[in-house]
Amino acid sequence: MGQDQTKQQIEKGLQLYQSNQTEKALQVWIKVLEKSSDLVGRFRVLGCLVTAHSEMGRYKEMLKFAVVQIDTARELEDANFLLESYLNLARSNEKLCEFHKTISYCKTCLGLPGTRAGAQLGGQVSLSMGNAFLGLSLFQKALESFEKALRYAHNNDDTMLECRVCCSLGSFYAQVKDYEKALFFPCKAAELVNDYGKGWSLKYRAMSQYHMAVAYRLLGHLGSAMECCEESMKIALQHGDRPLQALCLLCFADIHRSRGDLETAFPRYDSAMSIMTEIGNRLGQVQVLLGVAKCWVARKALDKALDAIERAQDLAEEVGNKQGAAAGAACARRALPRVRGGERALLRPVRRVHRREEQPAAGPALLPHLPPPVPAEQRDTELPQLPPLVHEAWLCVTPSAVLGFGLASLLLLHRHPGDPCPPCLDDRLLLGQLPGTPRWHPSRPSCPLSPLRTLLFIGK
């Protein structure tokens, strides 16, 4: 198959794909790959196959074609093709929740010598790296990557990229619990779709509507959340977008759980879990399991809740997602009754959760700024001490931020005898929660655990 015929067949496949005849399009592209001797044509058709399998949720096949594309780029000995193929490899690993590999391949892209494609694809590389950092709960690095991607989009008038970045920023702010911004950015993405997206794929509208639905639910606007999620699901079903279908099912389940309709929530969690397991979205499986655990807590079925939490914890550890680990620990605390007698056995599945969570979340860079041990003469003799803790809520704190706030000592926790663990995540001291200023969330009277005495020492 020659160069012209290869180009014609690629276009034919694109027309079939855009008319939702996905399987026919794939057959055309595979045939081109088997018969064409034109390296540039083969490279392009591999890119089409990578994109198609990504949207269908066939991430392992996506990775396979991305690897073949890199080999083709090396045969072409062109840095532009090599950059594009490494970006596809990074995206494939991002979809499979291999976030460390994603970051490594993105850095390879950024380290390639100056290329024509670098100016066009640099923003997409930064976006993929930001999504990977977000998957690892490295929030500061994620935000920096998203800001770089946004600058690329503005400098190159790339409204499609800007739309994608806004959706990722919506997810970012939802995770750091700034729900107003979690709604603002998907709304901005929806505006971009309305203003510039006449010739765009409907996936951009579906993506923005899904992120709006998540933010509306977190803000308690359940009716608006349901409307946005229904519109997103309609487009996902129309285009056979399995990953988005799974996310919408998860959102539907969360909305029903928020309404207290657990009978309706459970089957939607099951459907979401089935698709996410099929496509290999382990981070999505963590979110499903935590939602299921909250349902079992509401039903006071603590054994089932703790089982779901432990499975979520294992998956979060496997992926490297600190946010999922912290959320699992918080959910475990809410599930645990006050520990007495035979109930003490309920603590065993989550002891590992507490130990892991008490590791410094911000890494070695923060260690020099931790408070010194309290001298014995200054300790409260009425309360047994716990060691100073650095929690997942501190992931955004950098050494410069700590010094800027003038914190000589950070946090000391005390608890009453018999309390199984510190209070839930919502009651912690949150420092440097992006993008706001330090805030203190006092313990809620409704917390099932005993009141916590928190001492905060602030000095210049």
Side-chain angles (χ1 to χ4, degrees):
M1 188 180 289
Q3 186 175 355
D4 292 339
Q5 194 175 359
T6 298
K7 189 180 293 185
Q8 289 173 2
Q9 290 299 306
I10 292 173
E11 289 299 323
K12 179 182 177 181
L14 285 171
Q15 290 173 6
L16 290 168
Y17 186 72
Q18 290 166 0
S19 61
N20 291 327
Q21 300 181 61
T22 306
E23 292 300 331
K24 289 184 179 180
L26 291 178
Q27 290 173 10
V28 170
W29 287 331
I30 292 294
K31 191 175 291 185
V32 171
L33 200 60
E34 292 172 350
K35 295 185 177 181
S36 178
S37 57
D38 175 39
L39 285 177
V40 175
R42 287 172 59 83
F43 183 89
R44 292 302 173 206
V45 81
L46 283 164
C48 293
L49 287 165
V50 166
T51 301
H53 283 92
S54 172
E55 293 183 0
M56 296 167 68
R58 299 176 182 175
Y59 296 143
K60 290 182 180 178
E61 288 82 0
M62 177 189 179
L63 178 61
K64 181 183 72 174
F65 288 118
V67 171
V68 176
Q69 191 183 42
I70 281 189
D71 294 336
T72 307
R74 286 174 177 153
E75 287 185 58
L76 287 165
E77 298 180 346
D78 187 306
N80 292 293
F81 290 133
L82 198 59
L83 187 150
E84 186 177 339
S85 59
Y86 267 111
L87 174 58
N88 281 332
L89 190 58
R91 285 173 174 165
S92 303
N93 281 281
E94 176 196 330
K95 299 296 185 184
L96 289 166
C97 299
E98 297 287 351
F99 298 123
H100 290 290
K101 290 182 180 179
T102 301
I103 293 166
S104 175
Y105 290 128
C106 285
K107 288 180 178 178
T108 300
C109 292
L110 297 174
L112 289 172
T115 59
R116 182 182 67 257
Q120 300 171 348
L121 300 179
Q124 296 184 40
V125 173
S126 295
L127 174 59
S128 188
M129 186 179 287
N131 289 334
F133 281 131
L134 187 59
L136 294 172
S137 302
L138 299 175
F139 297 122
Q140 183 66 41
K141 291 183 177 180
L143 186 60
E144 289 170 0
S145 296
F146 292 145
E147 287 174 346
K148 286 180 184 177
L150 210 53
R151 281 197 295 273
Y152 270 102
H154 290 159
N155 293 339
N156 294 281
D157 293 325
D158 189 342
T159 49
M160 276 189 182
L161 174 61
E162 185 178 356
C163 179
R164 291 171 57 198
V165 175
C166 284
C167 289
S168 289
L169 282 168
S171 180
F172 169 85
Y173 283 109
Q175 290 195 36
V176 299
K177 300 186 185 301
D178 190 338
Y179 300 144
E180 289 77 13
K181 285 189 175 64
L183 177 60
F184 170 81
F185 282 102
C187 286
K188 175 65 176 175
E191 286 180 16
L192 291 169
V193 173
N194 290 332
D195 294 342
Y196 303 100
K198 189 174 181 179
W200 295 3
S201 167
L202 284 174
K203 72 177 183 180
Y204 289 94
R205 178 176 296 279
M207 191 166 52
S208 61
Q209 291 296 317
Y210 162 73
H211 286 284
M212 286 170 64
V214 171
Y216 274 129
R217 186 194 72 81
L218 292 169
L219 287 166
H221 306 315
L222 302 183
S224 298
M226 184 65 78
E227 289 177 11
C228 291
C229 198
E230 285 173 348
E231 182 174 350
S232 181
M233 186 62 156
K234 182 180 178 181
I235 298 171
L237 289 170
Q238 180 183 342
H239 286 264
D241 189 334
R242 298 281 284 167
L244 186 57
Q245 289 172 29
L247 292 174
C248 288
L249 284 166
L250 171 59
C251 188
F252 281 135
D254 287 337
I255 292 169
H256 289 298
R257 176 173 57 79
S258 298
R259 287 175 169 170
D261 186 0
L262 303 185
E263 291 296 332
T264 308
F266 273 119
R268 283 155 182 77
Y269 280 129
D270 290 341
S271 298
M273 190 66 174
S274 175
I275 297 176
M276 287 177 177
T277 303
E278 173 195 326
I279 66 179
N281 184 352
R282 289 174 290 169
L283 199 54
Q285 292 174 50
V286 171
Q287 295 170 345
V288 171
L289 287 167
L290 291 175
V292 169
K294 291 172 185 176
C295 289
W296 288 126
V297 170
R299 286 190 169 184
K300 303 187 186 303
L302 302 186
D303 288 340
K304 292 181 178 180
L306 289 173
D307 178 62
I309 291 166
E310 190 170 11
R311 289 168 61 198
Q313 197 75 30
D314 290 338
L315 276 171
E317 180 182 356
E318 185 180 309
V319 171
N321 182 258
K322 298 183 180 71
Q323 182 85 348
C331 192
R333 291 195 192 95
R334 294 186 181 99
L336 288 171
R338 190 172 290 277
V339 181
R340 292 193 188 94
E343 294 174 336
R344 192 174 300 276
L346 290 174
L347 275 176
R348 293 193 191 110
V350 292
R351 279 177 183 154
R352 175 170 50 84
V353 172
H354 296 154
R355 283 199 300 272
R356 185 183 305 114
E357 194 186 1
E358 291 172 8
Q359 299 301 314
L366 190 57
L367 293 180
H369 306 284
L370 293 178
V374 180
E377 61 272 12
Q378 296 181 16
R379 295 178 183 172
D380 190 332
T381 56
E382 296 180 3
L383 298 174
Q385 280 203 313
L386 287 176
L389 305 182
V390 180
H391 296 291
E392 301 298 331
W394 293 37
L395 286 168
C396 301
V397 180
T398 60
S400 58
V402 173
L403 294 174
F405 297 142
L407 297 178
S409 299
L410 301 181
L411 181 65
L412 295 173
L413 297 177
H414 298 276
R415 64 183 175 90
H416 289 288
D419 283 347
C421 56
C424 58
L425 282 175
D426 295 337
D427 301 327
R428 288 194 185 142
L429 178 72
L430 303 182
L431 287 174
Q433 186 178 22
L434 294 174
T437 54
R439 297 185 286 193
W440 180 42
H441 293 258
S443 295
R444 296 192 303 267
S446 59
C447 184
L449 305 177
S450 297
L452 189 78
R453 182 174 297 181
T454 305
L455 306 175
L456 177 65
F457 297 90
I458 303 179
K460 295 295 182 184

